[in-house]
């Protein structure tokens, strides 16, 4: 079986371990608003100075994590975003 033109090869995503999930959940609960959601503006305002990644990387991460495409992250979407941030900081390729 050959490669499909225009398709990128699969990227290996490391598993999310329980201690990381707990850390991400704690971060979410300190940043979320009253509706148990984290807005894009609030997230980026917090993430850019803390994680010091290029803005285009944050956009790519947001596009992956914001599954509902509503401009907000719920708890599970936040876990995805934080896991992708960790991957990016470790210089791993993002999906």
């Amino acid at each position: 079986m050959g490669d499909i033109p225009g398709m990128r090869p699969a990227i290996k995503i490391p598993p999310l371990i329980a201690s990381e999930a707990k850390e991400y959940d704690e971060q979410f609960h300190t940043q979320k608003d009253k509706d148990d959601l984290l807005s894009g503006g609030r997230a980026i305002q917090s993430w850019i100075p803390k994680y010091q990644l290029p803005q285009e990387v944050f956009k790519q991460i947001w596009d992956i994590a914001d599954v509902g495409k509503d401009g907000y992250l719920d708890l599970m979407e936040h876990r995805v975003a934080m896991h992708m941030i960790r991957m990016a900081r470790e210089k791993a390729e993002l999906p």
Side-chain angles (χ1 to χ4, degrees):
M1 214 178 235
D3 292 333
I4 299 172
M7 294 286 293
R8 291 177 30 188
I11 295 171
K12 184 174 175 153
I13 298 174
L16 178 64
I17 58 176
S19 62
E20 291 172 333
K22 183 179 182 205
E23 176 187 339
Y24 301 157
D25 292 358
E26 289 170 0
Q27 290 173 357
F28 178 79
H29 290 298
T30 63
Q31 296 177 339
K32 68 181 175 124
D33 65 20
K34 64 182 179 351
D35 295 324
D36 287 337
L37 297 171
L38 178 61
S39 71
R42 190 172 194 155
I44 295 302
Q45 192 175 43
S46 158
W47 294 348
I48 286 178
K50 185 173 183 176
Y51 299 112
Q52 300 180 350
L53 292 169
Q55 191 165 357
E56 59 271 8
V57 172
F58 286 118
K59 182 181 180 335
Q60 181 182 4
I61 290 169
W62 188 269
D63 289 345
I64 293 167
D66 184 15
V67 176
K69 305 299 180 212
D70 58 3
Y72 293 88
L73 300 181
D74 62 21
L75 178 63
M76 297 306 287
E77 291 171 328
H78 181 263
R79 282 183 182 177
V80 170
M82 296 309 299
H83 201 53
M84 295 294 117
I85 287 171
R86 179 163 282 163
M87 287 177 62
R89 294 185 75 211
E90 293 172 355
K91 308 292 187 220
E93 186 177 1
L94 297 176

